[in-house]
Amino acid sequence: MLTRRAFAVGAGAVASATLLDPRFGHGELIRAAARFDAASQNNVVRLSVSSGRHEFYKGKPTRTYGYSAPILGPVLRLRRGDRVEMVVHNAIHFPTTVHWHGLLVPGDADGGPQQRINPGATWRPVLTVDQPAATLWYHPHPHHDTGRQTYLGLAGLIIVDDGDDRGLPRDYGVDDLPLIIQDREFDLDGSLGYDPGQLGVVYGVRGDTVIVNGAIRPTARVPAGWVRLRLLNAANARNFELRFQDRRTFYIIASDGGFLARPVPMSELRISAAERFEILVDFSNQQSVVLETGPDRVMGIFGTISDSDTYEYVPAMRFEVGSAATFGRLPSELVDPGAMDPSAAVRRRQFVLNNGVCGQRTWMSEHPDIPALVGINGQVHDPNRIDVETKLGTSEIWEIVSVGMPHPFHVHGAMFRVLTLDGKPPPEHLAGRKDVVLVEGKAELLVNFTRPATREHPFMYHCHILEHEDAGMMGQYTCA
Ligand SMILES: [Cu+2]
């Protein structure tokens, strides 16, 4: 019988995380991933947006933000079919919002910039969970302050469980591990500050240190069998290029919106800002292995990840393998994604994502401190302007064009399928249901509108480089 035990071991897993190298900080791998099982709390989940202190480097605590934690937040497990009341209290000194990224809920529950939670206030949306199993996340979305609040620690994972585990690993904290991957730049005293500067606004804020679940180069102990990793890129801007140091093959089983048609073998995976992938990794050879990331290739010299400005790969974390195998089988099929039918689209729209590099046309940013030059279709975000009106229950083809540099494009309140990337069909691991995609040149997306949004509470679409979003590379749409 399947029991809650599968999701009840998060706390115990803290002890299993160990240190790779004391110079590189703590190995508190699972600390940030304590889990709230909504159903076990009568589907009332309380989150406190709070400030705290966290030691990325031992003995050098720094100011951070977290959801009911010093940094990051609990993994929220929600069950399909449930109605979950979220009770979100803002205990920091700045207005915030909480956006349920990838969760298909109406605009008035989505947590966009309109759902401002002032300091001391509490927001109580009720979320009706009705979508296939998927790995989603939550993060702040306030006007002009999303980059800073996320950088200082606000992000957490959501697991939607639809009751069919498809025989996949699901022993949370043991063979089913969430990995929230980010990059940060620390001062010499181990402190974390957020100061985008002009370069950070143009290219997005990047750091030379990879953190996983809020820890620098942590270690996870895993059983000698197949292990499921739920990867989230929660960086402000960086695309990670992930591979195992021994170049082993792993299998992508799910992307943003849920399972792929079948496991897709790969040995290197690019994961863009806000994207999620679930992968299966075989540890049955019992060899310890390092997960590493390369430079952000699409960013040229601005994409290096090590402090020596090289194009080398750097370690993100390490896996140590125990002896007990738990799960021993790779499924051949996962889910039928259904056919894509672009001919059903009721209209086509184009969105040109501009930023001011490479001699592009410039205009004033909405951001008071930033003379930056970003927008969509020549306009910076205006909260009083509805950019697009869609019809509930229809599909549209959205053509996204990146100018100046590649942009990860995200749509709230809807899932899409990628029809083409630069005129070609997408690779298999990008062919499932998604809510964010890195657009290097041009992409065509078939967007399916299934949730309503009013003029008072519209859905957003935007670049998920948070400094671009804060500076106005964002629009909003209604759905009725
Ligand atoms: Cu962008």
Side-chain angles (χ1 to χ4, degrees):
M1 178 185 136
L2 284 173
T3 66
R4 295 276 166 65
R5 181 185 167 272
F7 278 85
V9 296
V14 174
S16 75
T18 57
L19 204 60
L20 177 59
D21 182 330
R23 287 176 304 158
F24 296 121
H26 295 290
E28 296 165 278
L29 177 59
I30 307 298
R31 172 178 174 159
R35 182 205 33 78
F36 285 8
D37 187 343
S40 73
Q41 302 175 48
N42 296 320
N43 278 327
V44 178
V45 174
R46 294 172 194 281
L47 289 177
S48 176
V49 185
S50 43
S51 64
R53 294 172 81 73
H54 179 68
E55 293 184 10
F56 294 97
Y57 291 91
K58 207 170 180 59
K60 296 180 172 181
T62 183
R63 266 244 177 279
T64 49
Y65 288 151
Y67 295 107
S68 304
I71 187 170
L72 300 173
V75 173
L76 306 180
R77 180 199 178 209
L78 312 179
R79 293 200 294 205
R80 185 173 194 175
D82 281 1
R83 292 176 78 245
V84 182
E85 183 183 8
M86 308 300 301
V87 182
V88 184
H89 178 69
N90 181 1
I92 64 173
H93 296 298
F94 298 85
T96 191
T97 82
V98 182
H99 168 52
W100 322 107
H101 184 128
L103 196 69
L104 296 174
V105 293
D108 60 6
D110 184 59
Q114 310 83 12
Q115 265 116 13
R116 178 180 158 120
I117 315 169
N118 283 317
T122 299
W123 181 51
R124 294 171 170 265
V126 175
L127 309 177
T128 299
V129 183
D130 184 16
Q131 65 192 88
T135 298
L136 316 175
W137 64 304
Y138 58 103
H139 63 77
H141 215 304
H143 276 303
H144 307 318
D145 202 26
T146 297
R148 187 187 68 88
Q149 291 187 15
T150 306
Y151 195 82
L152 295 183
L154 289 177
L157 214 68
I158 297 173
I159 295 175
V160 173
D161 190 337
D162 67 3
D164 179 1
D165 66 12
R166 293 164 180 84
L168 293 164
R170 51 161 296 145
D171 202 350
Y172 180 81
V174 177
D175 61 13
D176 181 355
L177 301 176
L179 302 181
I180 300 176
I181 307 170
Q182 299 171 302
D183 60 331
R184 295 290 182 268
E185 186 160 343
F186 294 99
D187 289 335
L188 288 175
D189 63 358
S191 67
L192 193 60
Y194 180 77
D195 178 16
Q198 189 71 38
L199 213 57
V201 173
V202 174
Y203 297 109
V205 165
R206 292 152 193 272
D208 55 17
T209 304
V210 181
I211 58 174
V212 181
N213 292 3
I216 301 171
R217 301 189 188 191
T219 295
R221 291 221 176 90
V222 291
W226 289 96
V227 171
R228 175 187 195 166
L229 304 177
R230 297 175 188 261
L231 309 174
L232 161 66
N233 179 345
N236 280 36
R238 179 179 296 280
N239 305 300
F240 293 102
E241 306 274 357
L242 300 175
R243 71 182 189 194
F244 290 92
Q245 217 161 45
D246 61 6
R247 316 287 166 83
R248 69 179 62 191
T249 297
F250 51 88
Y251 295 83
I252 320 283
I253 56 171
S255 62
D256 308 330
F259 290 114
L260 301 175
R262 63 178 190 102
V264 179
M266 296 184 81
S267 57
E268 176 148 8
L269 173 66
R270 171 181 296 159
I271 180 168
S272 299
E275 267 187 323
R276 288 87 66 205
F277 289 104
E278 295 180 32
I279 69 174
L280 286 184
V281 188
D282 184 6
F283 290 102
S284 61
N285 69 2
Q286 294 186 269
Q287 299 294 306
S288 295
V289 67
V290 167
L291 177 69
E292 57 184 15
T293 182
D296 185 348
R297 265 186 231 114
V298 301
M299 291 306 298
I301 59 164
F302 296 101
T304 59
I305 181 72
S306 73
D307 47 11
S308 53
D309 285 347
T310 66
Y311 293 94
E312 299 300 310
Y313 281 70
V314 298
M317 64 174 293
R318 197 162 81 112
F319 294 89
E320 278 177 7
V321 187
S323 53
T326 49
F327 171 79
R329 189 178 59 85
L330 182 71
S332 57
E333 285 176 29
L334 289 162
V335 71
D336 178 1
M340 272 188 282
D341 184 10
S343 71
V346 297
R347 64 175 293 171
R348 171 182 282 267
R349 303 178 198 266
Q350 189 190 56
F351 300 89
V352 180
L353 313 183
N354 328 67
N355 67 345
V357 293
C358 306
Q360 298 302 320
R361 180 189 154 202
T362 62
W363 51 85
M364 285 303 293
S365 156
E366 184 191 6
H367 196 296
D369 304 327
I370 299 172
L373 326 162
V374 302
I376 297 179
N377 290 342
Q379 292 183 298
V380 295
H381 172 59
D382 178 351
N384 297 313
R385 183 186 70 230
I386 297 296
D387 299 278
V388 168
E389 294 178 334
T390 68
K391 273 184 88 79
L392 193 60
T394 67
S395 299
E396 298 185 4
I397 294 174
W398 284 20
E399 181 184 309
I400 317 300
V401 181
S402 283
V403 175
M405 60 178 275
H407 300 279
F409 184 76
H410 169 51
V411 186
H412 288 214
M415 285 287 165
F416 57 74
R417 305 281 293 278
V418 179
L419 295 172
T420 62
L421 289 174
D422 277 338
K424 297 188 287 285
E428 201 173 352
H429 72 293
L430 298 179
R433 285 157 51 90
K434 285 182 66 61
D435 58 52
V436 60
V437 64
L438 184 71
V439 181
E440 291 189 65
K442 189 171 100 174
E444 287 175 302
L445 314 177
L446 183 63
V447 192
N448 190 17
F449 301 102
T450 60
R451 297 293 185 275
T454 61
R455 299 184 73 84
E456 292 70 39
H457 296 290
F459 288 129
M460 318 305 290
Y461 54 87
H462 60 90
C463 173
H464 223 286
I465 291 176
L466 300 183
E467 288 70 32
H468 290 181
E469 173 191 328
D470 277 341
M473 194 181 287
M474 179 156 69
Q476 49 192 8
Y477 76 95
T478 58
C479 189

